[in-house]
Amino acid sequence: QVQLGESGGGSVQAGGSLRLSCTASGRAFSTYAMGWFRQAPGKERENVAAISRRGTFTYYADSVKGRFTISRDNAKNTAYLQMNSLKPEDTAIYYCAADAAPRTPVVVTSYEYDYWGQGTQVTVSS
């Protein structure tokens, strides 16, 4: 069983930055496609960003393009989400997820992911 642990959430003012980290247990991290999702109160969970196994390919939701950057360090079993120019509408619980057998380089849909972290709260005040 793979365990994912997120860190780096917190409260910032609009225009600020945060970097989320997601560390995976085990030795197979480099074989996983990774994604970051978020869920705000009363809203559905949405895919914010995704990255392929080696980091060659990435995906971003339109709402975060140009502001967020997903990356990974396979030697550290860690995926990152750098969030800049944060807006109040970015407020949500952020989850990382791992797809152990990805059918495509980047995985966008939540139901394809096998493992999920517990989530970390990001709050952006105006």
Side-chain angles (χ1 to χ4, degrees):
Q1 182 74 10
V2 175
Q3 293 185 329
L4 302 176
E6 301 103 333
S7 62
S11 297
V12 295
Q13 291 190 329
S17 298
L18 285 172
R19 187 175 83 154
L20 305 183
S21 299
C22 172
T23 301
S25 64
R27 299 183 176 183
F29 180 76
S30 63
T31 68
Y32 305 151
M34 298 296 296
W36 285 96
F37 290 75
R38 68 185 180 187
Q39 188 165 20
K43 295 188 176 181
E44 293 187 354
R45 186 172 296 189
E46 65 169 332
N47 189 331
V48 173
I51 191 166
S52 58
R53 292 172 172 178
R54 296 183 179 182
T56 305
F57 303 101
T58 57
Y59 160 85
Y60 296 97
D62 288 343
S63 57
V64 306
K65 274 181 186 175
R67 300 188 299 122
F68 290 12
T69 302
I70 189 171
S71 62
R72 65 190 297 161
D73 185 338
N74 287 345
K76 295 182 178 180
N77 278 19
T78 302
Y80 304 97
L81 186 67
Q82 178 67 44
M83 306 185 294
N84 298 328
S85 302
L86 283 161
K87 304 176 181 180
E89 51 264 44
D90 295 318
T91 295
I93 299 175
Y94 284 71
Y95 301 88
C96 69
D99 184 340
R103 296 180 296 170
T104 55
V106 290
V107 181
V108 177
T109 51
S110 61
Y111 64 81
E112 294 189 74
Y113 283 91
D114 303 295
Y115 306 106
W116 293 82
Q118 80 286 353
T120 186
Q121 177 70 46
V122 171
T123 303
V124 185
S125 59
S126 58

